[in-house]
Amino acid sequence: MKKISIIGSTGSIGRQSLDVVRSNTDKFKVTAISGNENIELLYEQTREFMPELVAIYSEKQALEFKKKIENDSSFKGVEIMTGLEGLNAVAADSDSSMVITAVVGMIGLVPTIEAIKKGKDIALSNKETMVAGGEIVSRLGARIIPVDSEHSAIFQCLNGEEMESVEKLILTASGGPFRGRTRKELLKVSKADALRHPNWEMGRKITIDSATLMNKGLEVIEARWLFGIDADRIDVIVHPQSIIHSMVEFKDKSVIAQMGNPDMRIPIQYALTYPQRKEGKGIESLDLLKAGRLTFEKPDCETFPCLKLAYEALRLGGTYAAALNAANEVLVEQFLNDMIGFYDIPHYIEKTLERHSSAKEPGIEDILAADTWAREFVKQQIAI
Ligand code: MG
């Protein structure tokens, strides 16, 4: 029985992780979960999986949760914690051997580092951990098994290989809902258009990131730190069918690709069972005849400048990626609030990178400071 804890259990990856656990109750036990907004779902999850610890970020939400369970004796053994302390406890203190970092945003960085320090395996889904803190986290020497479909694909392609044999990594991108559109067509695009992703069911933040191609940019930065490979040896190719989840080209010019239906439960389960593979219960087989033609295109960095900006931040090093990520988080939120337009996102990220100055060999405090600075800078720029 493998004991796991999940930070961000009510989000898209958190829910699908619990789906995997539900289909494999003989293999996994959930010891701790955390959530914030969706108290109703967190309550249902607590009742079903009976973790020892539940963390709720906001005090107010935690009070509401406590009210729901206080008169029910079946919840008697469940401890409730709040704030960052609660998240850290779910990640680091419960007796799990693996933590799924499914929470979205910079809030995931510190709990992930705490878990690594306690020697836990990380099933990594929180992008910001590697985007903002990649250099530090890779120095900690953690065992990280990526959950994101692209990094899981590369991780699988590299299984049993040596990094010296690798020529380059090829990350595939679906191209998002606006693939093939021109800049002019996208000037007036709405959030509803941007939220309509063709292939993947995901949260709102990452769906907008897919529409701007920032999602792929963040994944390039993650790949750099996860696999220890320079930016110029990471390519991005648009593959609209999302059947090939990424590839590795080796020195001998052999290319290995990992394929499957676009179903996040596949990489989640792989991270949980690694190095073994178990029956994918309820997951559909890939039918290549049904999938038909697989096509590939060059990403359009003129229409989608965010991808280029992410490469730039990665090459600049230091805390530039942290600043890019923070600026993007604020801008996506404002786009979702109908406060700014689609192209304001790359515009203000570019400004942020221009104005940012990075510490040399940044520590965790420098990263958090860069994050705070970039958020304030962007808010000032867009006057909110
Ligand atoms: Mg992905």
Side-chain angles (χ1 to χ4, degrees), residues 183 186 211-214 217 300-312 324 342-347 349-350 353:
R183 199 181 177 106
L186 293 182
T212 62
L213 289 201
M214 181 54 96
D300 175 359
C301 286
E302 296 315 311
T303 310
F304 303 100
C306 283
L307 179 57
K308 215 166 44 186
L309 291 169
Y311 268 103
E312 204 177 302
L324 165 115
F342 189 69
Y343 277 107
D344 287 327
I345 300 175
H347 174 75
I349 291 172
E350 192 170 2
L353 293 182

Side-chain angles (χ1 to χ4, degrees), residues 198-342:
N199 303 350
W200 293 98
E201 260 301 312
M202 303 178 294
R204 283 155 63 92
K205 156 76 167 56
I206 177 168
T207 305
I208 301 302
D209 284 344
S210 293
T212 62
L213 289 201
M214 181 54 96
N215 184 48
K216 211 48 56 179
L218 298 177
E219 288 177 359
V220 167
I221 301 174
E222 281 185 277
R224 188 262 171 268
W225 297 114
L226 275 171
F227 304 109
I229 191 164
D230 285 342
D232 48 6
R233 287 166 65 208
I234 306 172
D235 285 356
V236 169
I237 191 166
V238 174
H239 164 49
Q241 296 80 21
S242 299
I243 296 294
I244 295 179
H245 299 305
S246 278
M247 306 174 241
V248 176
E249 184 185 316
F250 293 90
K251 292 247 157 76
D252 61 0
K253 306 296 181 273
S254 177
V255 177
I256 298 185
Q258 186 266 342
M259 303 163 89
N261 280 322
D263 185 329
M264 281 310 293
R265 290 174 301 175
I266 301 173
I268 291 170
Q269 177 167 315
Y270 184 74
L272 294 184
T273 63
Y274 173 81
Q276 293 169 317
R277 290 186 188 270
K278 301 284 180 200
E279 176 74 28
K281 290 177 195 156
I283 297 174
E284 247 183 82
S285 282
L286 171 62
D287 183 342
L288 279 172
L289 295 176
K290 220 159 87 186
R293 200 181 282 265
L294 303 185
T295 61
F296 305 94
E297 298 163 17
K298 198 177 159 179
D300 175 359
C301 286
E302 296 315 311
T303 310
F304 303 100
C306 283
L307 179 57
K308 215 166 44 186
L309 291 169
Y311 268 103
E312 204 177 302
L314 179 55
R315 289 194 177 103
L316 286 166
T319 53
Y320 279 95
L324 165 115
N325 173 69
N328 182 58
E329 260 188 53
V330 173
L331 292 161
V332 169
E333 194 187 324
Q334 291 311 311
F335 178 72
L336 285 169
N337 291 339
D338 295 314
M339 297 300 284
I340 60 170
F342 189 69

Side-chain angles (χ1 to χ4, degrees), residues 178 189-196 204 208 335-338:
F178 300 145
V189 89
S190 75
K191 85 173 174 206
D193 300 325
L195 284 172
R196 245 173 255 131
R204 283 155 63 92
I208 301 302
F335 178 72
L336 285 169
N337 291 339
D338 295 314

